[in-house]
Amino acid sequence: LGTESLKKAVQELGKKRHSDVRYHQLDITNRDSCQNLATFLKIEHDGLDVLINNAGFAFKHDAKEPPEEQARVTIGVNYEGTKQVCDVLFPLIRNGGRVVNVCSSEGILSGRYSDDIIARLTSPSLTVADVDKFVEDYKKVVNVCSSEGILSGRYSDDIIARLTSPSLTVADVDKFVEDYKKACIGDKRKENGFPQSAYKVSKAAEIALTLIQAKELMARNILVNAHATYRACIGDKRKENGFPQSAYKVSKAAEIALTLIQAKELMARNILVNACHPGYVNTDMTSHQGPLSIEEGADTPIYLAIMEGNEPTGKLYYKRRIIDWNAPFHG
């Protein structure tokens, strides 16, 4: 796909192209892939001067994937992937270089997070560990189960009493699933108080496990909850824990926070690190709903990549201007 895109771009540029454009495979979620690119850059160019982190991912609004998977994949690419490729490539950036993290206005904090979370992310002493904790906290408040795990009307009173007992243990849940397996032999499920569906049983067991985990981790102030794909089992705790629903918003807030930290770390090498919102661009990611052309979307990232002199570092830009990360966005 990358090779085909490059070939098409070269053809479209025609005589406007004044330099060689080369393609190299990169999967920012795969450390070996990042390292392969680093090795190539070291051998071929002995380093690099400009790094634009443009890789990103977003689920569509009507995505059917459960919230837990959306959080894992989205944060895995947009934040953890960006962090990983930076860790690998930063040693190769020559002094005086430029780093641009293409983020989004979706990473704006104002009106989307609790005061406590905003205070943590805007702290002058913010560290990568703090940002890691921010995304992990988000993941923890969504533990996806399914409405198929609901007990009512599906199990005998005895089984329901056992699974809802305040003294429930992991051993009890293990026995529940083992009893189901035994009841499947000769198909004795119904007379033993079970539904036919193994999926229903597995999800009921997962919800039961969630209740036990919540008690075990309470002393460490770790919240463990279940979320039903179709209707609430126990509840989605994102809002009450100060987070927006969107994993994409969280991933982009984390990416902007990472930019601020990187800017401080690379200041001694005179490497400028900035983030930018490219605007709502007409691409596959926006389902081609964006009003901006690709060229218009690329304007600010390129501007930041070729800035000269003592320009600001550790800032968020939109249309070549600095915008406040913690203020309402007016695009």
Side-chain angles (χ1 to χ4, degrees), residues 17-271:
R17 181 167 62 92
H18 299 296
S19 60
D20 188 25
V21 181
R22 303 175 71 180
Y23 163 81
H24 193 286
Q25 186 275 340
L26 174 64
D27 176 358
I28 64 172
T29 67
N30 184 301
R31 194 167 189 86
D32 288 341
S33 178
C34 295
Q35 195 59 58
N36 287 340
L37 176 60
T39 301
F40 169 81
L41 291 171
K42 178 65 177 176
I43 293 172
E44 293 290 320
H45 305 285
D46 196 33
L48 70 157
D49 298 292
V50 174
L51 172 62
I52 300 179
N53 287 308
N54 188 49
F57 178 84
F59 282 91
K60 302 300 182 184
H61 291 299
D62 59 351
K64 299 298 188 293
E65 289 81 359
E68 183 183 56
E69 183 178 348
Q70 292 191 33
R72 178 182 61 80
V73 174
T74 306
I75 292 170
V77 175
N78 296 344
Y79 171 62
E80 292 165 353
T82 298
K83 181 176 66 170
Q84 177 167 255
V85 76
C86 287
D87 288 344
V88 173
L89 296 183
F90 274 8
L92 296 179
I93 300 177
R94 286 181 270 270
N95 291 352
R98 301 288 184 265
V99 178
V100 182
N101 292 329
V102 180
C103 297
S104 168
S105 61
E106 293 296 276
I108 294 290
L109 300 178
S110 178
R112 294 172 176 167
Y113 298 86
S114 67
D115 292 342
D116 174 64
I117 290 176
I118 291 175
R120 282 158 47 197
L121 289 182
T122 56
S123 168
S125 59
L126 184 73
T127 65
V128 172
D130 294 327
V131 186
D132 288 345
K133 185 178 185 303
F134 163 68
V135 297
E136 289 305 317
D137 284 348
Y138 176 79
K139 292 178 185 178
K140 286 172 185 173
V141 295
V142 182
N143 183 21
V144 178
C145 298
S146 169
S147 60
E148 293 298 280
I150 295 293
L151 301 179
S152 179
R154 294 172 176 168
Y155 298 86
S156 67
D157 292 342
D158 175 63
I159 290 176
I160 292 176
R162 282 157 48 198
L163 289 182
T164 56
S165 168
S167 59
L168 184 71
T169 66
V170 172
D172 294 328
V173 183
D174 288 344
K175 185 177 186 304
F176 163 69
V177 295
E178 289 304 319
D179 285 348
Y180 174 77
K181 291 177 184 177
K182 291 176 183 176
C184 288
I185 300 172
D187 197 1
K188 304 284 186 179
R189 286 171 287 189
K190 187 175 181 179
E191 62 193 75
N192 280 278
F194 290 98
Q196 294 293 102
S197 169
Y199 182 75
K200 285 183 171 69
V201 172
S202 71
K203 287 303 176 181
E206 189 178 359
I207 294 169
L209 180 63
T210 301
L211 304 182
I212 297 167
Q213 292 170 336
K215 289 182 180 179
E216 292 177 346
L217 297 176
M218 192 177 294
R220 294 168 57 193
N221 197 30
I222 295 175
L223 303 181
V224 185
N225 292 289
H227 172 77
T229 309
Y230 302 110
R231 64 179 184 271
C233 295
I234 296 172
D236 184 339
K237 302 291 185 179
R238 283 173 286 190
K239 185 175 181 180
E240 65 190 72
N241 280 277
F243 290 97
Q245 294 294 101
S246 168
Y248 184 74
K249 285 183 171 69
V250 172
S251 72
K252 287 301 177 180
E255 192 175 356
I256 295 170
L258 180 66
T259 301
L260 307 185
I261 297 166
Q262 292 171 336
K264 290 182 180 179
E265 292 176 345
L266 296 177
M267 195 176 291
R269 293 169 55 193
N270 194 31
I271 296 174

